[in-house]
Amino acid sequence: MEDPGKRELESAIQSIQQGEFARAEKILLQITAREPTNFDANHMLGIVSTELHKFEQADKFFKTSLSINAKNPSLYKNYGFFLTRAKQFDKAIEQFNVALRLFPNSALVYSDRGNALEKLHKLDEAIADYNRAIALAPNIFGFITTAAVPF
């Protein structure tokens, strides 16, 4: 017999992939009401809440996720992305730093940290992060094949 919670999580993931964030939120809120310490549901609610611009709610779910599992590098990357969207750039950089300690070869984290550094006008550091991201995964960044230039 299949776990209904797993089926619900898969449905929420499918909704996220289709850009149906309100539907995903509804599913995930049902899961967390039943299982408040469900890491995946809380983490995804942080992501979904960010997309819905419900920043206070996103922060709550990311913090809950951290209290459940503080060793997941994706969580720190996503929390940093949220904090960047919420214009809390210094805090975002702190989260990206933790993600990089846990997963030091993540091109996406270097790129995201570069974006936060750029917002703080720390252009030399941002360029260094962009270049590190390109060096780690040159194909991910498409047309950019040499030194990155902040946009």
Side-chain angles (χ1 to χ4, degrees):
M1 184 171 173
E2 186 179 335
D3 175 16
K6 182 179 178 185
R7 196 170 44 245
E8 287 175 304
L9 279 173
E10 289 171 359
S11 180
I13 291 168
Q14 184 177 26
S15 295
I16 292 167
Q17 291 170 339
Q18 295 171 348
E20 297 174 356
F21 299 112
R23 182 174 181 275
E25 178 188 39
K26 181 179 177 183
I27 296 166
L28 294 166
L29 286 170
Q30 290 172 349
I31 295 170
T32 57
R34 204 175 51 245
E35 303 172 51
T37 60
N38 184 309
F39 173 79
D40 293 323
N42 279 286
H43 185 183
M44 283 192 269
L45 269 165
I47 295 166
V48 166
S49 299
T50 300
E51 292 299 323
L52 293 171
H53 300 278
K54 296 181 177 181
F55 293 153
E56 189 173 315
Q57 178 175 295
D59 193 49
K60 173 190 156 217
F61 285 114
F62 281 122
K63 286 178 178 172
T64 298
S65 299
L66 282 170
S67 73
I68 298 167
N69 179 2
K71 295 186 184 218
N72 184 303
S74 294
L75 171 59
Y76 290 99
K77 183 217 176 294
N78 292 328
Y79 193 22
F81 180 79
F82 152 71
L83 290 165
T84 300
R85 294 263 312 263
K87 300 184 185 331
Q88 297 180 41
F89 306 116
D90 288 318
K91 288 181 181 180
I93 291 166
E94 290 173 18
Q95 298 305 311
F96 294 135
N97 289 341
V98 174
L100 287 168
R101 280 195 295 276
L102 295 170
F103 190 64
N105 293 318
S106 174
L108 294 175
V109 176
Y110 277 106
S111 177
D112 286 348
R113 188 174 72 178
N115 293 337
L117 288 163
E118 183 180 344
K119 296 294 185 185
L120 292 172
H121 305 286
K122 296 181 178 184
L123 300 183
D124 289 339
E125 291 174 67
I127 290 169
D129 272 2
Y130 293 145
N131 284 330
R132 179 74 175 144
I134 291 167
L136 287 167
N139 296 330
I140 291 177
F141 298 99
F143 69 93
I144 302 174
T145 56
T146 59
V149 177
F151 295 90

